[in-house]
Amino acid sequence: MRQALGEAARAPGTGDVPVGAVVLSADGTVLGTGHNEREATGDPTAHAEVLALRAAARALREEASRSDAGRGGGGRRAGEWRLTGCTLVVTLEPCTMCAGALVLSRVDRVVYGARDAKAGAAGSLWDVVRDRRLNHRPEVITGVLEAECAALLTTFFRDR
């Protein structure tokens, strides 16, 4: 979570909300990072989680393509996009878009710091990630360094 907080701290420089995310492999290796870049890029989908998931999938594809047998990343095939075995750590509870991306990317676990009572989709307002109607439901761990994650957001919005 400390690395995700570091990512989040990079966002306000471009006017973006300070949210940061990190994707870890099953052995704890960092596969991808991201922070909000909606304002910086003009891309409404440039949320920290989506950017970190994209970076992690790219890292796994590159690892698989470097493997002689085309089976890198712990037995992954070249071109594989599933993030099975991975954990996404994010400073703010994912919104519905990001929760959907987490489910579709097949991460095993999502860990978040601050709850988002206005738009959270991992237990606060909605619970997309644990909806039994979906074919994949990652484990959810909440409240990790919650006060620090919330303080970063509070400071950002107070200063605006």
Side-chain angles (χ1 to χ4, degrees), residues 1-11 18-25 28-36 48 52 55 87-92 111 144-145 148-149 152:
M1 185 61 77
R2 294 233 181 263
Q3 187 166 353
L5 280 163
E7 279 293 318
R10 297 176 59 194
V19 177
V22 177
V23 176
L24 305 168
S25 69
T29 302
V30 174
L31 296 174
T33 62
H35 57 275
N36 278 358
T87 298
L88 178 116
V89 180
V90 61
T91 57
L92 180 64
V111 176
V144 176
L145 298 180
E148 290 178 52
C149 294
L152 194 59

Side-chain angles (χ1 to χ4, degrees), residues 132-151:
R132 294 207 177 276
R133 295 169 293 184
L134 299 175
N135 66 339
H136 180 74
R137 291 178 295 282
E139 174 186 10
V140 178
I141 299 170
T142 67
V144 176
L145 298 180
E146 183 173 12
E148 290 178 52
C149 294

Side-chain angles (χ1 to χ4, degrees), residues 58-157:
R58 187 171 42 252
L60 290 175
R61 281 193 313 275
E62 290 169 1
E63 182 180 333
S65 68
R66 285 191 304 270
S67 166
D68 290 337
R71 296 199 56 85
R76 295 178 192 272
R77 295 183 314 274
E80 180 68 61
W81 52 265
R82 290 168 188 81
L83 299 178
T84 306
C86 295
T87 298
L88 178 116
V89 180
V90 61
T91 57
L92 180 64
E93 179 180 359
C95 69
T96 53
M97 177 183 70
C98 294
L102 291 166
V103 169
L104 293 173
S105 69
R106 310 294 197 275
V107 297
D108 283 359
R109 184 174 307 99
V110 59
V111 176
Y112 70 83
R115 290 173 48 88
D116 186 350
K118 292 182 180 179
S124 292
L125 186 57
W126 296 287
D127 202 355
V128 171
V129 296
R130 291 180 283 207
D131 190 316
R132 294 207 177 276
R133 295 169 293 184
L134 299 175
N135 66 339
H136 180 74
R137 291 178 295 282
E139 174 186 10
V140 178
I141 299 170
T142 67
V144 176
L145 298 180
E146 183 173 12
E148 290 178 52
C149 294
L152 194 59
L153 291 159
T154 299
T155 300
F156 174 80
F157 287 112

